[in-house]
Amino acid sequence: MAAGHRGRCHPEHTGHGIGATSPVAAALRREMGVHSLILTVVTSTIGSGWLFAPYFCARIAGPSSLLAWVIGGAMAFMLAMVFAELGSLVNSSGALAQIPLLSHGRFSGFVGGWSAWISYVTLPTIEVLALLQYLSSVMPWLTLDSGDNQMLSGAGQLMGVALLVLFTWINLSGVNRLAQWIDGLTIWKLVVPVLVAIVLMLIAGHWSNLQLPTPQGDSALVNAIGSGGILFSLMGFRTAMDMAGEVRRPQRNVPLAMAVGLGICLLIYLVLQLGFLVSVPPQDLHRGWNLLTLTAHGGPLAALAAGLGLGWMVTLLLADAVVSPGATGLAYLGISARVTWMMGTCRLLPAAMGRLNSRGVPHWSLISSLVVGTILLRVAPGWQGLVSFLTSTLVIALAMGPVSLLALRRQLPAAQRHFQVPCPRVFCSVAFVIATWAISWTGRPALEGAVVVIAVPSLIYVIVQSSRHHPTDLRSGLWWALYLGLLVLDMELFSKGQPWELATGWHLSVLALMALAVMPLAVSSALTDASPHALTDLTHAA
């Protein structure tokens, strides 16, 4: 592409990454430092999941859950490093929408951005649901019993809407106010989980629990990572990219925040998992880890604390059950708006989504996230029913990363990259295989639901754009249809309970071969030059 070519998408500019000085650059303010960005990653990673994941992982994998966290952390780190390079190149808020647009054109930009937005916009609702369910232990009028489940009462739904409105107001106040809230809340979120884990280990200390066998054999690790909450808990690293447009020195600070934030969170989760494993009373494990049942208001950790007579810890856990989901919901409401802001700026969604208010905040995008979150609060089946689905949609969006990285290495060979992954072809191939495994591990219902929710709007987008005689770059994005179709076919044929069910090792091999076959096609189908609809100036990259 010729230097200086101008398109319709105007991402921010720092003089070193993609983009150039633009009206957006002057409006979307770079006021967030690396300290606040690291804390944003931490607060996005440690939400309501820390109160549940240790329990579900222990039931699935027993002591092997510690290894599952290490493997899940390694998988998240591989994907994080791919996006660290992309973040040093494309340092704009909502970059998960801009990156596929940049390398593969409009259709891929829509698929990638829409997949990310689906997961982001639903997370605040999930966190509010968790928060209200915990509060119902002291305010029972918030929920109603429905069989074995709890549903929000009318009053609970009104309080949920009020919380979402509060989160929106804080985000509309501007990035400085958001950073102040995140900094304060995240310090709490760092201290409480570590304190709880250490106290449980010191007081209970049933170290013989670590010698009990793994419940589910060779599939235990896979199931713990995919459905035990590990992937769901560790994918918060990408928020550093989504806030990159408001970060000082993004080429340095975005990769640094990803690595440091992810490392801190993984360490906390490992300590939590160990604390949970050794604090379960041995008499509760006489039938094995997979039949462990802990019931108490506030969740399994509160049940353990109550059983040990630690009333102060129960109170602390209930307080944290408000703070952790609240801070995470607050962060993700703002992050979801950054994705739709970028899609609106690049004309992948109505242009109103790309407008900013006087504080440099994408107000219409925030309001749309509030509206969707309110609707979801009404129709959502509950916290657990949405986690696997959201993980599936998010990892589908992240799967674009390795493909785009290799394509952009060819399209923009001279662009400055302040961080680069080593041996990019091998590294990206492994990362794409990891993403493929992760999507599959979320389970058949979650994957098939995610594909439907992504495919139908994508088809509508193509039809609408074609009817207006607007180009869609469909040929460059058709690999998405092949990839998602093969994933669904694999689940229908080779997953558990299907006609040709494969053992875990063989199934992983089939998925790896499928990913390695699709990836070269995906990379080769990229645009010849980076899309002018995602750039304003390439004079520094020519």
Side-chain angles (χ1 to χ4, degrees):
M1 180 165 57
H5 187 103
R6 293 190 176 270
R8 294 180 297 171
C9 181
H10 303 286
E12 309 87 332
H13 174 61
T14 62
H16 300 287
I18 294 298
T21 303
S22 69
V24 174
L28 200 58
R29 300 165 185 170
R30 294 193 182 275
E31 299 177 341
M32 185 177 285
V34 67
H35 175 262
S36 291
L37 191 61
I38 290 172
L39 292 182
T40 301
V41 172
V42 172
T43 202
S44 300
T45 305
I46 301 179
S48 59
W50 85 266
L51 296 163
F52 292 105
Y55 171 62
F56 290 119
C57 290
R59 289 194 61 181
I60 295 170
S64 296
S65 56
L66 292 170
L67 178 59
W69 279 104
V70 174
I71 295 173
M75 294 171 68
F77 183 78
M78 288 288 290
L79 289 171
M81 290 304 95
V82 168
F83 282 92
E85 174 170 332
L86 291 170
S88 72
L89 180 71
V90 186
N91 43 79
S92 53
S93 292
L96 280 181
Q98 190 187 5
I99 288 168
L101 170 64
L102 183 65
S103 63
H104 284 70
R106 300 168 186 81
F107 178 70
S108 285
F110 181 87
V111 173
W114 184 262
S115 302
W117 183 73
I118 289 171
S119 58
Y120 285 4
V121 78
T122 312
L123 265 165
T125 303
I126 287 180
E127 300 302 308
V128 166
L129 282 170
L131 185 157
L132 293 176
Q133 287 174 3
Y134 299 142
L135 279 182
S136 67
S137 63
V138 291
M139 290 183 277
W141 47 269
L142 289 173
T143 59
L144 298 171
D145 290 330
S146 177
D148 295 332
N149 300 317
Q150 283 188 319
M151 297 180 61
L152 293 182
S153 64
Q157 290 184 1
L158 287 175
M159 181 170 283
V161 172
L163 286 170
L164 290 174
V165 170
L166 174 63
F167 295 165
T168 304
W169 173 78
I170 294 171
N171 277 277
L172 285 171
S173 298
V175 68
N176 274 338
R177 181 72 59 85
L178 176 59
Q180 291 168 8
W181 279 73
I182 289 172
D183 287 1
L185 293 176
T186 304
I187 296 300
W188 166 281
K189 293 172 69 173
L190 283 169
V191 171
V192 172
V194 175
L195 174 64
V196 168
I198 291 175
V199 171
L200 288 176
M201 282 189 282
L202 291 176
I203 292 180
H206 302 299
W207 298 97
S208 59
N209 290 352
L210 300 179
Q211 300 175 4
L212 296 176
T214 298
Q216 298 183 23
D218 62 353
S219 63
L221 293 177
V222 167
N223 293 336
I225 294 169
S227 58
I230 291 178
L231 286 175
F232 174 77
S233 300
L234 291 178
M235 288 298 177
F237 67 83
R238 81 274 183 190
T239 56
M241 282 194 66
D242 294 310
M243 301 296 290
E246 290 125 297
V247 177
R248 296 188 295 269
R249 299 180 63 191
Q251 290 81 10
R252 168 188 174 272
N253 290 341
V254 169
L256 181 61
M258 284 184 181
V260 174
L262 180 58
I264 291 172
C265 293
L266 178 59
L267 180 61
I268 290 174
Y269 277 117
L270 282 170
V271 173
L272 270 170
Q273 188 67 62
L274 180 60
F276 184 89
L277 291 170
V278 303
S279 61
V280 176
Q283 61 268 25
D284 290 347
L285 297 173
H286 67 280
R287 295 186 300 170
W289 286 102
N290 58 319
L291 295 178
L292 173 66
T293 301
L294 294 173
T295 57
H297 288 300
L301 288 173
L304 289 176
L308 293 170
L310 302 175
W312 64 269
M313 184 179 287
V314 174
T315 302
L316 181 66
L317 285 167
L318 290 176
D320 188 81
V322 175
V323 173
S324 289
T328 303
L330 170 65
Y332 272 104
L333 191 70
I335 292 163
S336 68
R338 268 64 182 179
V339 175
T340 49
W341 168 81
M342 178 57 73
M343 294 180 74
T345 303
C346 297
R347 302 298 191 269
L348 298 174
L349 287 176
M353 296 299 177
R355 295 174 185 166
L356 304 173
N357 65 10
S358 60
R359 296 179 180 270
V361 174
H363 55 296
W364 288 118
S365 292
L366 274 170
I367 292 170
S368 69
S369 294
L370 170 63
V371 170
V372 173
T374 301
I375 295 171
L376 288 172
L377 197 64
R378 176 71 178 174
V379 303
W383 189 89
Q384 287 181 306
L386 291 176
V387 166
S388 293
F389 168 76
L390 291 180
T391 304
S392 184
T393 57
L394 176 60
V395 181
I396 286 172
L398 296 179
M400 185 70 195
V403 174
S404 288
L405 188 150
L406 292 180
L408 289 169
R409 284 279 187 105
R410 184 189 74 235
Q411 294 164 328
L412 302 172
Q416 296 184 34
R417 294 168 172 85
H418 291 253
F419 174 83
Q420 296 188 49
V421 298
C423 305
R425 290 193 176 277
V426 175
F427 197 99
C428 288
S429 296
V430 173
F432 192 67
V433 169
I434 285 173
T436 303
W437 285 346
I439 296 168
S440 176
W441 293 351
T442 60
R444 182 184 172 195
L447 172 60
E448 293 180 349
V451 170
V452 170
V453 171
I454 293 169
V456 172
S458 299
L459 181 61
I460 293 173
Y461 170 79
V462 171
I463 293 173
V464 170
Q465 293 298 98
S466 298
S467 67
R468 296 175 178 175
H469 304 289
H470 294 165
T472 59
D473 304 313
L474 184 59
R475 172 180 284 185
S476 295
L478 281 178
W479 73 271
W480 276 111
L482 174 64
Y483 181 58
L484 296 179
L486 287 174
L487 282 170
V488 172
L489 182 64
D490 167 80
M491 294 301 290
E492 293 291 339
L493 295 179
F494 304 129
S495 63
K496 186 175 181 179
Q498 297 308 301
W500 296 340
E501 179 182 342
L502 294 175
T504 301
W506 285 108
H507 195 193
L508 294 178
S509 299
V510 168
L511 288 168
L513 290 173
M514 183 195 79
L516 293 174
V518 169
M519 187 169 182
L521 295 175
V523 174
S524 63
S525 68
L527 302 175
T528 303
D529 299 306
S531 173
H533 296 274
L535 302 176
T536 58
D537 198 326
L538 287 177
T539 55
H540 64 283

